[in-house]
Amino acid sequence: MSVRSAIGEFMKVGIVTKPEGDGPALHEHPNEEQWTYILAGELHFILGDEDKIVGPGTLVHIPRNVPHRSRPVNGPATFLTVKSPAGSGAMDQDYNKAKGADEAEALYPGKRK
């Protein structure tokens, strides 16, 4: 995984490249709102009740407290993600494993790591 990030006063931004199958379990952010824009590749995205594969040019809004997870499928994927507030600046700050995380793993259609 490759992450390049920048931290501002009110938000943090990262350009992330992940290999197929890489990503955190289903989780939610009680303190952060997030936007993700897919630059290359495809992501299997679970967002609340939605379960879909999204590709380049897709913009995904992830409100606070909504269970979600994304994983590259059919190869690696690169995406831009913006989170607010900036907090400590760590892109993986404010992760809380969501109810149903183990069941969500069965929905992943790609190759597992």
Side-chain angles (χ1 to χ4, degrees):
M1 179 170 71
S2 166
V3 179
R4 292 173 286 168
S5 62
I7 306 151
E9 183 178 358
F10 297 108
M11 66 183 76
K12 51 192 166 191
V13 178
I15 298 176
V16 181
T17 300
K18 291 183 180 179
E20 182 170 359
D22 191 20
L26 187 73
H27 63 282
E28 52 195 26
H29 309 285
N31 301 301
E32 294 177 343
E33 178 178 31
Q34 182 175 358
W35 290 88
T36 296
Y37 182 77
I38 293 77
L39 298 168
E42 296 178 310
L43 290 174
H44 174 243
F45 228 103
I46 296 174
L47 178 63
D49 294 333
E50 294 182 66
D51 176 349
K52 60 185 175 181
I53 295 176
V54 296
T58 303
L59 180 62
V60 179
H61 175 240
I62 305 163
R64 290 191 284 176
N65 296 310
V66 174
H68 63 283
R69 189 207 71 200
S70 67
R71 295 248 169 91
V73 65
N74 301 318
T78 300
F79 55 93
L80 172 79
T81 194
V82 178
K83 296 180 177 182
S84 180
S88 71
M91 294 305 291
D92 62 357
Q93 179 185 7
D94 198 35
Y95 276 45
N96 291 304
K97 190 172 180 179
K99 182 179 179 184
D102 295 333
E103 294 81 2
E105 293 308 309
L107 301 173
Y108 179 65
K111 296 177 187 170
R112 306 210 184 266
K113 288 187 356 170

